[in-house]
Amino acid sequence: MKIKEMINYEWNKKSEDKSQERIIKILVYFIIFMIVCTIISRFADSLTVPIVETEKVTSASINHDITASGVISANNQEGIFSTEGITITSINVQRGKYVKNGDVLFTLNKEEIEEKISSLESELSNKEKTLSRAIEDYNIALSKEDKNIQKALETMENSKKELDEFNENSLLSKEELNNAYEENKNAYEEAINNKDSNLISYKRAVEDANYDKEKEKLIKNINELKELLNNDGKVIANNEGTVTNILLTEGQQTTNEPVLLLADKKSGYKVVAQISTDYEKDISLDQKITLNILDNNEQIEEAVINAISRNEENEHMLDITVILPEGVGEIGKSATLEISNNTERYSSCVPLSALHSDGDKYYVLMFEEKETVLGTENVAKRADITIKDKDGMYAALDENIILTSDEVITSSNKNINDGDRVRKEEEWNP
């Protein structure tokens, strides 16, 4: 009996052990299955839920940095002229050449200078003769008018005398004498009144012949040409400077325009650069800027804007003029203007990458937690915004819409909309 019970006990024990082992195996397989399902679920989730990057709203100053390029030019250019109608035999300088006082700029034909002097002297002489004749004619006419007036006056006075001496022995009646006096009086007054009108043509002839200003110019030209002739037709520089432009060439004749332009070194140089009118509110006269001369890596701190004007060729551009300190720069060299204009500090700023537009409205997508039946989920929530200012990195928003503790979505691997589930890249740990 005991032996049978022992055999049954051993058998039952073995059966129980096998059942437990089977249960353990099933549990192990179930756990492995759940892990695999979790991995698959995580993988599937990674394929469907967008991965986003976020940044917290921050406080910052909006920096309106503006860079503009220009070329160094003369602050003041002097036109080098000569008497018109003389042939240029040689140009002795080139554009960009620096010249000193006394350097030869160009040479004119000597024979033509002599002819021009003779022509101007003849013109001067003729004008003097014309004026002299006009004055002589006027004086003759004036003398004639004065004689006519004097004669009329004498006639009137004789008539008055005869009228005053009237008596019974007079040849004419008193009425006839009175009428004669009135006629002679009217003739005298008419002679006085007609004097100016009779002389007007003579006065105009004198005025037309009067060439005081022109005479001064003629004499000046003659003296300059004589000096030029004594210098073998060579036109020399009277100031130091740089030749900025040559307007005429050898073989051409001088005109009323300058032969060449010379930048006066004493007046200094300037840089004129163009920027868009969009930046008009960000710049002002006397505003400090940084100027870089590119060719020699020279930098001028705290240069100032000396002039702001509308560009003549493009109404959407502004000309910014900066005058260089004395002795700085060379004409024709390139330069850049760096204009920095920081605003007040805004409490709610987001990266430009966080901005979205819907027509004429702007919005951001906030990164927020949302409680669901399946637990806490992260979602994108739309927030319409008002942009107060922006630069190349940040946009300043109305602080009443979002707070500095909020997070905004700056990028995503998929398109996302308001209410979509999202997650950060670091949250993915399958």
Side-chain angles (χ1 to χ4, degrees), residues 210-272:
N210 191 354
Y211 67 113
D212 283 348
K213 293 182 180 179
E214 191 175 351
K215 177 181 178 181
E216 183 179 342
K217 182 180 178 182
L218 281 170
I219 294 173
K220 181 181 178 182
N221 286 346
I222 291 170
N223 291 335
E224 287 177 351
L225 286 170
K226 287 181 177 180
E227 183 180 350
L228 185 59
L229 187 62
N230 292 334
N231 201 32
D232 295 327
K234 296 175 182 177
V235 178
I236 62 173
N238 295 321
N239 297 305
E240 292 186 56
T242 302
V243 178
T244 59
N245 203 358
I246 298 175
L247 305 176
L248 296 176
T249 59
E250 295 177 6
Q252 289 185 310
Q253 287 193 333
T254 54
T255 65
N256 60 348
E257 298 295 327
V259 177
L260 54 84
L261 298 177
L262 188 66
D264 184 5
K265 183 181 180 181
K266 293 179 182 179
S267 65
Y269 302 141
K270 65 183 177 182
V271 175
V272 180

Side-chain angles (χ1 to χ4, degrees), residues 116-255:
K116 195 69 175 178
I117 292 173
S118 177
S119 174
L120 291 178
E121 288 179 337
S122 177
E123 182 181 352
L124 181 64
S125 176
N126 290 335
K127 286 184 177 294
E128 288 177 342
K129 289 178 181 178
T130 302
L131 177 60
S132 177
R133 288 169 183 165
I135 293 173
E136 183 180 356
D137 291 343
Y138 173 78
N139 290 332
I140 293 172
L142 176 62
S143 176
K144 182 179 179 181
E145 290 296 319
D146 288 340
K147 287 179 180 179
N148 290 337
I149 292 173
Q150 183 62 32
K151 185 177 179 181
L153 176 61
E154 291 174 356
T155 302
M156 180 190 72
E157 288 176 343
N158 290 332
S159 297
K160 183 70 169 65
K161 185 179 179 181
E162 290 178 357
L163 178 62
D164 293 339
E165 294 177 352
F166 172 77
N167 55 48
E168 295 179 356
N169 297 323
S170 298
L171 298 175
L172 299 175
S173 66
K174 189 173 184 179
E175 183 179 356
E176 290 174 328
L177 290 175
N178 187 65
N179 291 338
Y181 168 71
E182 290 295 331
E183 288 178 3
N184 292 329
K185 180 182 177 182
N186 291 335
Y188 169 69
E189 291 175 352
E190 186 177 357
I192 293 176
N193 293 334
N194 290 341
K195 177 180 177 180
D196 289 339
S197 59
N198 292 337
L199 291 175
I200 191 167
S201 60
Y202 296 96
K203 285 183 178 179
R204 286 175 178 172
V206 173
E207 290 172 357
D208 292 342
N210 191 354
Y211 67 113
D212 283 348
K213 293 182 180 179
E214 191 175 351
K215 177 181 178 181
E216 183 179 342
K217 182 180 178 182
L218 281 170
I219 294 173
K220 181 181 178 182
N221 286 346
I222 291 170
N223 291 335
E224 287 177 351
L225 286 170
K226 287 181 177 180
E227 183 180 350
L228 185 59
L229 187 62
N230 292 334
N231 201 32
D232 295 327
K234 296 175 182 177
V235 178
I236 62 173
N238 295 321
N239 297 305
E240 292 186 56
T242 302
V243 178
T244 59
N245 203 358
I246 298 175
L247 305 176
L248 296 176
T249 59
E250 295 177 6
Q252 289 185 310
Q253 287 193 333
T254 54
T255 65

Side-chain angles (χ1 to χ4, degrees), residues 85-90 107-110 112 250-254:
I86 302 177
T87 303
I88 300 171
T89 56
S90 65
T107 306
L108 300 177
N109 187 292
K110 290 178 63 176
E112 293 181 9
E250 295 177 6
Q252 289 185 310
Q253 287 193 333
T254 54

